[in-house]
Amino acid sequence: TVGAVALDAKGHVAAATSTGGVTGKRWGRVGDAPIIGAGTYADDRACAVSATGAGEYFIRAGVAHEICARMRLKGESAKAAADAVIADVGQLGGTGGVIVVSPKGETIYSFNTPGMYRGMASADGKSVGIYGDE
Amino acid sequence: QTPWKLVIHGGAGVIERERISKEQDSDIRAALTRALDAGSKVLAGGGEAIDAVEAAVKVLEDDPHFNAGKGAVYTYEGKNELDAAIMRGDTRAAGAVAGINGTRNPIEAARAVMEKSPHVMLIGEGANIFSREQGLTQVTPDYYETPERKRQLEELKANKLSWFDVDMKYG
């Protein structure tokens, strides 16, 4: 799964996610990526989220919307909200990660897997990472 | 003006140094950098976040290292079924497609659903027809094929592993 979230100069956020799903899927299986609110969500009042992971768990946790809702209604930071929701996914037995950007300019990764292909950019520069300890 | 920001991912899972060659490591980092460059170009020029995320995702869809577009994993029947979604935060307009094939960049199909239809999600052959009607670039099924994805499917079938055991790079 691949994805991107962005904050533009006008203060608007957006999210996009694209995937092939899981190897050997059958019966028309669909994961979280195209489910608005599970794998993808954007709301200028809170944040934009794109997820990658074991899709069924992300659907059950409503991951992307849940992160935005925690930020909007509880006033949590992007990091606190994302870590809490990924922890919840872990409690259910799922693994994966999210990327988040907020209108305030917060940019975070949160994942409970050993690694995640990822990158971040701003006017100050850019960085990419693969392994968990980078 | 708000300082622009862009974050991307190319999948998560059991990604460890001993399982990735130096060449693969280098290629993956280069692709991630190209995706950042594509999105950054939009944002640095004063463009919209929605255009930036689409531009970044298209780069990753076109790169065979990632499970999306070219390089997508196989279904049990040896086909590719692609899913994508896009959403803008200012209006909460959203579009998604599921189980499609034939569209080179599924994220374009998701955006077309958002902007050119009254719906949020289209699936299967109906979504394929919609994509063609919108004039999006179409490809033949062999476009998505990569030897590594075929090997992963064969390994799954041979070992009767669960879906999540083969590669552990999720989608």
Side-chain angles (χ1 to χ4, degrees):
Chain A
T1 302
V2 305
V5 295
L7 168 66
D8 63 31
K10 292 183 178 174
H12 301 309
V13 297
T17 313
S18 183
T19 190
V22 292
T23 300
K25 64 184 179 182
R26 301 177 77 180
W27 312 302
R29 182 265 184 189
V30 175
D32 64 306
I35 308 294
I36 300 300
T40 308
Y41 201 72
D43 182 346
D44 273 4
R45 299 172 300 175
C47 66
V49 181
S50 175
T52 175
E56 280 75 3
Y57 296 95
F58 280 64
I59 293 170
R60 289 161 57 196
V63 165
H65 185 272
E66 180 82 350
I67 292 170
C68 289
R70 290 180 75 112
M71 293 175 65
R72 180 166 59 92
L73 300 173
K74 292 185 72 178
E76 290 185 344
S77 68
K79 179 67 175 166
D83 286 350
V85 174
I86 289 298
D88 185 41
V89 169
Q91 289 283 322
L92 295 175
T95 57
V98 293
I99 54 174
V100 185
V101 66
S102 77
K104 295 178 183 173
E106 299 164 283
T107 52
I108 65 111
Y109 312 111
S110 181
F111 51 97
N112 64 3
T113 48
M116 181 163 81
Y117 299 136
R118 60 200 187 276
M120 196 176 282
S122 70
D124 298 327
K126 64 190 171 202
S127 64
V128 299
I130 295 179
Y131 311 106
D133 58 3
E134 290 183 89
Chain B
Q1 278 202 336
T2 304
W4 61 267
K5 308 276 184 178
L6 175 67
V7 190
I8 62 170
H9 70 77
V14 182
I15 303 168
E16 297 169 335
R17 285 181 174 83
E18 56 269 28
R19 296 175 60 157
I20 297 177
S21 70
K22 284 187 177 178
E23 184 181 15
Q24 284 176 311
D25 183 294
S26 175
D27 289 348
I28 289 165
R29 290 177 195 274
L32 291 169
T33 300
R34 285 197 302 275
L36 286 175
D37 288 344
S40 297
K41 185 177 179 182
V42 173
L43 295 167
E48 288 194 294
I50 195 78
D51 293 323
V53 295
E54 181 183 7
V57 165
K58 281 171 69 173
V59 171
L60 299 173
E61 287 180 335
D62 290 343
D63 191 290
H65 290 92
F66 304 101
N67 177 22
K70 186 174 182 62
V73 300
Y74 287 97
T75 66
Y76 196 83
E77 291 77 21
K79 298 177 180 176
N80 305 101
E81 293 179 351
L82 309 166
D83 310 327
I86 194 165
M87 185 168 187
R88 51 189 308 151
D90 53 354
T91 62
R92 277 180 282 159
V97 289
I100 68 168
N101 53 42
T103 303
R104 173 172 170 155
N105 291 106
I107 199 65
E108 288 185 346
R111 184 160 182 176
V113 171
M114 178 176 76
E115 295 180 341
K116 304 290 176 58
S117 88
H119 309 298
V120 170
M121 177 185 271
L122 300 179
I123 66 168
E125 188 52 28
N128 288 330
I129 292 169
F130 177 78
S131 171
R132 291 195 292 271
E133 288 178 351
Q134 294 304 312
L136 303 183
T137 301
Q138 303 294 306
V139 293
T140 53
D142 61 329
Y143 168 78
Y144 306 112
E145 291 179 4
T146 62
E148 175 62 11
R149 297 306 188 196
K150 277 196 169 174
R151 184 196 65 74
Q152 290 170 358
L153 178 61
E154 288 163 4
E155 184 180 27
L156 179 141
K157 286 187 170 181
N159 296 325
K160 301 191 186 308
L161 299 174
S162 78
W163 293 335
F164 297 122
D165 288 336
V166 169
D167 186 70
M168 300 297 281
K169 284 198 290 292
Y170 292 130

